[in-house]
Amino acid sequence: MQAPDDVSAGSKRCDAARNRARLLEAARHLVDDLGAEQMTMEAVAKEAGVGKGTLFRRFGDRDGLLRALLDEAEAEFHEAYASGPPPLGPGAPAADRLTAFGSTLISRMASDDDLGASLARQLRRRSRNASETGRAFHRHVSTLLREAGVDADHDMLAHAMLAFTTFETADHLRRECDVPTERLQATWAQLVRLVTRPD
Amino acid sequence: MQAPDDVSAGSKRCDAARNRARLLEAARHLVDDLGAEQMTMEAVAKEAGVGKGTLFRRFGDRDGLLRALLDEAEAEFHEAYASGPPPLGPGAPAADRLTAFGSTLISRMASDDDLGASLARQLRRRSRNASETGRAFHRHVSTLLREAGVDADHDMLAHAMLAFTTFETADHLRRECDVPTERLQATWAQLVRLVTRPD
């Protein structure tokens, strides 16, 4: 049986989640309208009708808020590769899932109207490894490498492979060297094939 | 037979090369003493006994000067992998040369008293792809992948593999996640083995 104190704590947690969602909604609205560079903590607080202190307490700083927004924008992609239909989701061989994952990741990065991609591009100075999204990508790829039976340090090999899909590499090649998205996707597929083929 | 004009042009080119070397020497001296962040164009001009205008004409801007300094610091490593003893230099199988190249690159990046590494770290916001050094690394790796008979888009696969050795990935893993340099080198070696083994 739940004590009255716990009910109250639970209800407070619900309030907190609602408030958090409302703050993120306000931030997303401003980013859509103005771009991430122009989003200030002051404008978000005003839009959400809260004090600036609330915003700083919840997200640390502006970067923390942008990262939270990015993690939220990535949730849909996470759903697709974690539990959606194959080959991205479960049910296909690990190598096919790896190929589908990288290919989707690269095409999302190349998309200009994907909030996750546009935020990630604007935040690219911060390492992807520092975000929950980046850690989830890494867990996913290293798990599939293990499933595919690759004889290697799966944890590190996943870092090595994902390095290709970062803005410093894939986005640089696409934007500065005019490499088409399809060639980047084909390279990922070749890398997966080379790494996962049996000895 | 060389016309007098050409002699004069040749001599001017020699002067230019000497002046360039003197400016780089002054810059290197300041970077050694103060760190790249503290190196100003004004201090370098003063150290070299030239006007600031000369420095800007020669290197474009402060970043251009730092990049030139980095390219120079990398020349010794370039010599080693292009024409030094095997397995880094010619004479060993392509896969062994690839392994040696990445392993040396990773250990140089991890070194705190390597000017090339320390400059590259300080300049890491600029993409390595934008420097002559980065382009030479890429040419070297793609050539060895071709020599090793890897069935892939060598140009792109070289970008994919080198992405692991960037500061955003290898240096981040070493510094933020306490991954030992040896594990990063072993991962590079595994990647080379997986990619170059015959079908």
Side-chain angles (χ1 to χ4, degrees):
Chain A
M1 195 190 121
Q2 210 172 26
D5 268 9
D6 287 337
V7 171
S8 151
S11 152
K12 271 188 198 149
R13 273 197 297 277
C14 274
D15 283 352
R18 261 196 304 274
N19 286 340
R20 186 186 153 87
R22 196 156 53 95
L23 296 175
L24 285 175
E25 177 60 35
R28 181 178 179 137
H29 190 207
L30 284 169
V31 169
D32 279 346
D33 281 0
L34 309 170
E37 292 301 330
Q38 304 302 321
M39 185 210 77
T40 64
M41 293 297 260
E42 193 145 10
V44 175
K46 201 175 155 196
E47 173 90 16
V50 300
K52 250 169 51 167
T54 307
L55 210 53
F56 279 101
R57 257 195 315 281
R58 185 83 60 175
F59 298 103
D61 57 10
R62 192 176 164 281
D63 278 356
L65 174 55
L66 285 172
R67 268 198 305 276
L69 207 56
L70 175 57
D71 287 346
E72 205 194 43
E74 295 287 351
E76 195 177 328
F77 178 48
H78 181 264
E79 179 80 15
Y81 71 73
S83 51
L88 196 53
D96 294 352
R97 290 188 68 196
L98 275 172
T99 304
F101 175 76
S103 181
T104 309
L105 182 57
I106 288 167
S107 80
R108 289 184 70 241
M109 280 176 66
S111 157
D112 281 323
D113 44 50
D114 183 288
L115 177 67
S118 111
L119 266 180
R121 189 174 298 119
Q122 294 177 72
L123 287 169
R124 72 180 174 282
R125 302 257 151 127
R126 249 72 56 188
S127 169
R128 182 195 275 164
N129 292 303
S131 74
E132 182 43 46
T133 297
R135 282 189 292 271
F137 288 176
H138 176 260
R139 274 195 303 272
H140 184 60
V141 170
S142 61
T143 302
L144 290 177
L145 287 170
R146 191 171 297 111
E147 267 183 47
V150 176
D151 174 25
D153 182 342
H154 306 107
D155 186 7
M156 285 293 120
L157 188 60
H159 281 301
M161 292 175 68
L162 280 168
F164 178 59
T165 69
T166 58
F167 285 95
E168 291 78 16
T169 300
D171 209 48
H172 173 87
L173 289 168
R174 196 174 60 79
R175 299 185 151 227
E176 311 297 324
C177 312
D178 292 323
V179 176
T181 303
E182 293 70 28
R183 191 173 173 197
L184 297 172
Q185 293 174 308
T187 304
W188 172 269
Q190 287 177 346
L191 188 59
V192 170
R193 182 186 63 78
L194 290 167
V195 159
T196 59
R197 73 206 148 125
D199 263 314
Chain B
M1 200 187 118
Q2 210 172 26
D5 268 10
D6 288 336
V7 172
S8 150
S11 153
K12 270 188 200 150
R13 273 196 298 275
C14 274
D15 283 352
R18 263 197 303 274
N19 286 340
R20 186 187 154 87
R22 195 156 54 91
L23 297 175
L24 285 175
E25 178 59 37
R28 181 176 179 137
H29 190 207
L30 284 169
V31 169
D32 280 347
D33 282 0
L34 310 170
E37 292 300 330
Q38 304 302 320
M39 186 210 77
T40 64
M41 293 297 260
E42 191 142 14
V44 175
K46 202 176 156 196
E47 174 92 16
V50 300
K52 250 173 43 170
T54 306
L55 210 54
F56 278 102
R57 256 196 313 282
R58 185 83 60 176
F59 298 104
D61 58 12
R62 192 177 165 280
D63 278 356
L65 175 55
L66 285 172
R67 267 198 305 275
L69 207 57
L70 175 58
D71 286 346
E72 205 194 42
E74 296 287 350
E76 196 177 328
F77 178 49
H78 181 263
E79 179 81 15
Y81 71 74
S83 52
L88 196 53
D96 294 351
R97 291 188 68 197
L98 275 172
T99 303
F101 175 77
S103 181
T104 309
L105 182 58
I106 289 166
S107 80
R108 289 185 70 242
M109 281 176 67
S111 157
D112 281 323
D113 44 50
D114 183 287
L115 176 66
S118 113
L119 267 180
R121 189 176 297 118
Q122 293 178 69
L123 287 169
R124 71 179 175 283
R125 301 257 152 130
R126 247 73 53 185
S127 168
R128 182 197 273 165
N129 291 304
S131 76
E132 183 44 45
T133 297
R135 281 189 293 269
F137 288 176
H138 176 260
R139 273 193 303 273
H140 185 60
V141 171
S142 59
T143 302
L144 290 176
L145 287 171
R146 192 171 296 112
E147 266 183 48
V150 176
D151 174 26
D153 181 341
H154 306 110
D155 185 9
M156 285 294 120
L157 188 60
H159 281 300
M161 292 175 69
L162 280 168
F164 178 58
T165 70
T166 58
F167 285 96
E168 291 76 17
T169 299
D171 209 49
H172 174 87
L173 289 168
R174 196 175 60 80
R175 300 184 150 227
E176 310 298 324
C177 313
D178 290 324
V179 175
T181 303
E182 293 70 27
R183 190 171 173 200
L184 297 173
Q185 293 174 308
T187 303
W188 173 270
Q190 288 176 346
L191 188 58
V192 170
R193 183 186 63 77
L194 290 168
V195 160
T196 60
R197 74 206 147 122
D199 264 315

